Amino acid sequence: MKNNETKGDIKWLRWPWNLVIYVVLVLVLRIFAVPIILALMAWKKKREPDGPAEGYCLQRCHNRLALLGWAVLLWFISAACIVVFITQIQEERDYWEATDYAMTGCAAVFGVACFLGGLYEGYISLRDALCPDKSRLAKSIRSQMPYPDGNYDVKELFAMVDKDIRENGLWFDRVAVGQEWVLGDDASYIPRIRAVFGRDEVVYRHVNGGTQARRIIELYILDDHKHLQMTVLRKPRELSVLLDCLKLRAPDALFLPYDEYHNYNSKSDDEWEHICREYRIRKSQREQGY
């Protein structure tokens, strides 16, 4: 009874009312709304010690709405490129050089590409947030069921993962590891994990004579059907302990450096079947105490 009352106290902060409140605060207070929103989110998390009222999976789907920010950014870049293109095309072209034609063409192509990219980001964010049964997370869970094409109810799928994470989950940054499931941007059924790759890499690129560095921390998991489940992490220190935990939960899977990921992901069906056969041998030997 006490747990129900606690959840009832913050009913007005459940989806979608929490989103409405946050949007109203931003519209009214602008940048001053940020600390208030963060405080509300922290208070909500503290009042829900057993996890979010809607469940971990559904919360992750709703959080995908944040991708709309990328869609807006891409549309803004697209609009800027279109302005450049229109401005250039209206000028006299009698004295144009090759660079002028190249800039105009690039502005047009980049503008169209960013517009289409914004449409895609906007579509998948709204699809995942408003139609969880068609979400990326639901597809990843469904693909690992005994009959991937079966008509599984998304509520049952999410409840199955939520139950495992709530009762057994250990959290590493954005990833939770239960007894049977790994929940990140996708979900992985631990008994079906065959290969795991951790990526911690600094990527450099040269822009306007300078060099920009970006650190990429990602977790790649391949299951027995070579389906990929990938999650982006934010805290570099969490990757190593996450991999250690997965080694305990999936002791017979391969744990390899990211450099080998593309090699394994491109293996033929026969080669992958050989890897799965070796997995079954390791599992049998471990269970028999060899």
Side-chain angles (χ1 to χ4, degrees):
M1 179 62 71
K2 183 178 180 180
N3 189 46
N4 291 336
E5 289 175 355
T6 301
K7 291 186 176 182
D9 291 340
I10 56 172
K11 187 175 183 179
W12 52 276
L13 272 181
R14 296 184 191 176
W15 172 273
W17 304 115
N18 58 340
L19 180 63
V20 173
I21 292 172
Y22 299 155
V23 171
V24 170
L25 286 172
V26 170
L27 293 176
V28 175
L29 301 177
R30 305 297 174 88
I31 193 172
F32 300 103
V34 174
I36 298 176
I37 292 174
L38 292 177
L40 286 173
M41 292 173 66
W43 182 73
K44 180 177 184 293
K45 185 176 182 179
K46 183 178 180 180
R47 301 282 290 191
E48 296 175 337
D50 296 327
E54 66 269 32
Y56 295 108
C57 292
L58 200 55
Q59 183 191 58
R60 192 135 295 187
C61 289
H62 292 160
N63 289 345
R64 297 274 289 175
L65 202 62
L67 290 176
L68 280 177
W70 288 108
V72 172
L73 176 61
L74 288 171
W75 286 330
F76 177 79
I77 296 174
S78 174
C81 291
I82 292 172
V83 169
V84 171
F85 172 76
I86 294 175
T87 302
Q88 287 288 105
I89 208 69
Q90 289 177 345
E91 293 182 354
E92 289 289 340
R93 293 187 292 276
D94 296 339
Y95 303 101
W96 272 27
E97 298 179 354
T99 54
D100 296 309
Y101 286 102
M103 185 175 70
T104 304
C106 288
V109 172
F110 202 62
V112 172
C114 286
F115 178 75
L116 295 177
L119 285 179
Y120 174 75
E121 291 289 347
Y123 165 73
I124 62 173
S125 65
L126 291 174
R127 179 203 65 189
D128 286 13
L130 303 179
C131 302
D133 58 315
K134 299 179 181 179
S135 66
R136 166 183 168 176
L137 181 57
K139 290 178 181 178
S140 71
I141 300 173
R142 196 175 284 119
S143 70
Q144 296 167 89
M145 291 293 99
Y147 304 98
D149 296 328
N151 188 24
Y152 296 100
D153 182 69
V154 70
K155 293 182 179 180
E156 295 178 358
L157 294 178
F158 283 0
M160 173 179 60
V161 177
D162 286 339
K163 183 176 184 293
D164 183 40
I165 299 303
R166 187 177 296 109
E167 295 178 355
N168 309 297
L170 298 174
W171 285 90
F172 306 90
D173 193 9
R174 301 178 59 251
V175 180
V177 181
Q179 285 294 127
E180 296 185 331
W181 289 92
V182 180
L183 177 62
D185 293 330
D186 299 312
S188 302
Y189 186 51
I190 293 177
R192 297 185 68 166
I193 292 177
R194 296 296 178 266
V196 181
F197 309 83
R199 182 184 187 187
D200 186 354
E201 182 180 4
V202 178
V203 178
Y204 297 94
R205 65 173 184 170
H206 302 285
V207 180
N208 297 327
T211 302
Q212 294 181 349
R214 183 167 68 96
R215 191 169 186 177
I216 300 176
I217 305 101
E218 295 172 333
L219 175 71
Y220 293 76
I221 294 176
L222 292 174
D223 66 14
D224 55 344
H225 290 309
K226 209 168 69 172
H227 293 152
L228 170 65
Q229 293 91 38
M230 191 271 284
T231 295
V232 177
L233 285 81
R234 296 167 298 196
K235 301 176 181 178
R237 294 181 180 179
E238 294 289 286
L239 180 60
S240 60
V241 288
L242 167 59
L243 292 174
D244 289 340
C245 180
L246 286 174
K247 288 176 184 178
L248 295 175
R249 298 290 169 89
D252 305 306
L254 296 173
F255 286 81
L256 303 165
Y258 174 73
D259 293 342
E260 298 188 40
Y261 163 69
H262 295 288
N263 177 38
Y264 275 79
N265 194 38
S266 60
K267 289 185 180 296
S268 66
D269 291 341
D270 290 339
E271 290 174 323
W272 192 251
E273 178 54 36
H274 177 70
I275 291 173
C276 292
R277 193 159 50 244
E278 290 182 332
Y279 167 87
R280 291 191 291 269
I281 293 173
R282 287 194 302 273
K283 181 181 178 183
S284 176
Q285 290 176 342
R286 178 180 58 81
E287 291 176 344
Q288 294 177 18
Y290 292 161

